[in-house]
Amino acid sequence: MEGGLPVTSAELTDALRGCAGGDRNALRRILNAEGGRMLGIAQRMLHRRDLAEEAVQDAMVRIWQKAHQFHAGDGSAHGWIFAILRNRCRNILRDSARLSTFAPEDLTAMQDARLGAATHAAAGLEEGLALHACLSRLDPAAARAIVLAHVGGFNHDEISDALSVPLGTCKSWIRRGLDTLRRCLS
Amino acid sequence: MSETDLRAEEFVLGLLDPATEAELTDALEHDRVWAAAVGRARDRLRPLDDTAPDLPGAARLWDGVAARLGPAPARRRWLPLGAATAAGLAVGLFIGGTWFTPDPIVLAVLVDEAGTPTAVVEDFGHADARIRFVRDIQVPQGRQMQVWTLPSAETGPVSLGLLRGAAGTELDAPRLPDPGNGQLYEITLEPAGGSPTGRPTGAILAKGLAARQDGV
């Protein structure tokens, strides 16, 4: 970390209000406080540092443009900014024209890294967390699929490949898993 | 609710097809129930984001970000207006005057509990609305006036923004469908910074129903 301390939910909500009011310093505070974590999230999904930086910059611009849409009643401010970031990462991953410029071995390295990052993330959940307990109660394949989507940005096709199951099976595993997870967490 | 929750989770995970995802992204701006479901889904999975490493070097990205920022985010603006005017100022002055270009889509006269006209809201649709007070309002320390509208029962009340004193400024309203005849507008007294829940929580200072100005 370089100087940025994580901010509380209330501080981040305040900073988003500042952005909505046109205060660039508020956006800069968000980058300074949360940029390191955002780079980490992006790097897990995109593997390459240059792509991760691009995704974080894209996300910051989107946060600026959409800050007025953030409502404090709709979940946490952190959840909101990280969702914008993951969305930008997935856009980069889905940009086939762009990926076609990658060497085949780079693409393979990227896929391997994304798989590895998802495994790491699941293992990195603190044991005391409800999400940890509830994921471990799911069918392991369903839990793996959900984490691959969230952490690695994998889509249904990629997940069914990674788990070597038909697409339909993969989709119903995920749906059942999400239902069970939600009930467990509520 | 679980169908909505499931859809919200698939949306958060990026598992929906692009057309559906685009449609549901737009819906976040005006469908409060949907937006709340998505917020909950994000927060359920958020501990996974927290497992990401905290990498150095983010602050160096600022110059690249700053170069791409527009002047200000698009948002509903409260157009310039005068300070609170004397009670009894004829509403007809606003309607017939040449102040407004373009004409508002709806106009709502908000009255207090006793039926006294308190403010006039003109909603131009898109990103612009104007509020004008026709009597003085005392706002207690630590409180702020917030303006709401009810586009539909399903959507529930949507904030059009916070007011500083009786001269409006700020705001964060989402893009909404064009306002309609009979649409409710109201002003409530909320904690400074706005309602903590995203819904009206405080006393209603004034409310009124909109009348379309274009004969629709």
Side-chain angles (χ1 to χ4, degrees):
Chain A
M1 274 183 45
E2 35 177 61
L5 291 171
V7 293
T8 64
S9 184
E11 286 165 337
L12 190 57
T13 299
D14 261 6
L16 288 175
R17 284 216 180 91
C19 292
D23 175 7
R24 289 178 174 222
N25 283 331
L27 187 70
R28 191 168 194 171
R29 284 203 301 279
I30 296 175
L31 179 67
N32 287 343
E34 299 296 335
R37 179 77 64 204
M38 291 171 80
L39 269 177
I41 291 169
Q43 178 100 26
R44 289 198 303 199
M45 229 182 254
L46 300 168
H47 176 53
R48 277 179 26 182
R49 171 76 186 201
D50 58 331
L51 295 179
E53 291 190 355
E54 179 187 328
V56 171
Q57 287 186 319
D58 285 352
M60 294 307 295
V61 174
R62 293 293 286 165
I63 289 166
W64 174 254
Q65 292 166 340
K66 295 177 75 168
H68 66 287
Q69 289 175 19
F70 173 72
H71 287 263
D74 300 339
S76 68
H78 285 87
W80 190 79
I81 66 168
F82 293 158
I84 288 176
L85 174 64
R86 278 186 282 99
N87 190 272
R88 298 310 300 167
C89 291
R90 288 195 299 261
N91 284 349
I92 291 174
L93 287 172
R94 309 281 189 265
D95 184 348
S96 51
R98 176 120 183 228
L99 294 188
S100 67
T101 65
F102 285 33
E105 58 272 23
D106 287 348
L107 276 179
T108 309
M110 183 190 227
Q111 292 302 89
D112 289 348
R114 290 167 67 205
L115 282 166
T119 306
H120 251 85
L125 277 176
E126 281 176 45
E127 290 204 4
L129 288 174
L131 186 62
H132 178 272
C134 291
L135 274 175
S136 54
R137 264 187 238 170
L138 296 189
D139 174 60
R144 173 91 176 134
I146 291 167
V147 174
L148 282 172
H150 194 270
V151 175
F154 282 65
N155 63 21
H156 278 132
D157 285 327
E158 292 174 310
I159 296 169
S160 71
D161 275 354
L163 301 181
S164 309
V165 290
L167 187 57
T169 309
C170 164
K171 286 184 181 178
S172 66
W173 277 357
I174 292 174
R175 293 211 177 108
R176 272 210 307 274
L178 288 170
D179 268 330
T180 309
L181 189 63
R182 186 182 333 110
R183 279 199 299 273
C184 176
L185 288 169
S186 66
Chain B
M1 280 309 286
S2 85
E3 264 311 302
T4 306
D5 287 330
L6 181 58
R7 182 140 272 229
E9 285 151 358
E10 290 182 315
F11 177 77
V12 167
L13 292 176
L15 292 174
L16 300 171
D17 66 84
T20 308
E21 181 169 324
E23 198 178 306
L24 292 175
T25 301
D26 286 346
L28 286 174
E29 291 185 41
H30 54 78
D31 184 340
R32 308 312 312 151
V33 173
W34 167 245
V38 170
R40 289 194 302 272
R42 281 189 216 117
D43 283 348
R44 278 195 287 279
L45 295 164
R46 193 185 132 202
L48 284 168
D49 287 327
D50 295 336
T51 63
D54 193 344
L55 300 179
R60 286 198 299 275
L61 302 178
W62 174 250
D63 288 346
V65 173
R68 290 169 55 194
L69 299 182
R75 62 204 151 98
R76 184 171 296 237
R77 303 186 305 277
W78 293 109
L79 303 175
L81 59 135
T85 46
L89 192 55
V91 167
L93 201 78
F94 302 112
I95 301 170
T98 51
W99 277 82
F100 316 128
T101 44
D103 292 334
I105 295 171
V106 300
L107 185 145
V109 178
L110 311 192
V111 301
D112 67 12
E113 225 173 19
T116 311
T118 300
V120 178
V121 170
E122 297 144 292
D123 198 331
F124 299 82
H126 309 296
D128 294 325
R130 166 154 40 190
I131 189 163
R132 182 177 284 267
F133 285 84
V134 294
R135 72 179 177 87
D136 290 319
I137 306 259
Q138 296 305 318
V139 178
Q141 192 74 25
R143 310 281 270 178
Q144 213 170 354
M145 290 191 282
Q146 191 160 8
V147 186
W148 307 85
T149 189
L150 186 67
S152 72
E154 286 159 4
T155 311
V158 177
S159 173
L160 292 179
L162 288 163
L163 300 176
R164 294 218 170 91
T169 35
E170 213 177 320
L171 289 265
D172 68 342
R175 192 170 354 125
L176 295 169
D178 276 352
N181 236 350
Q183 185 166 323
L184 177 73
Y185 287 81
E186 66 180 24
I187 305 172
T188 60
L189 201 54
E190 301 290 343
S195 161
T197 66
R199 300 271 165 153
T201 61
I204 297 172
L205 295 174
K207 63 180 177 181
L209 301 180
R212 286 285 290 214
Q213 301 299 295
D214 53 4
V216 174

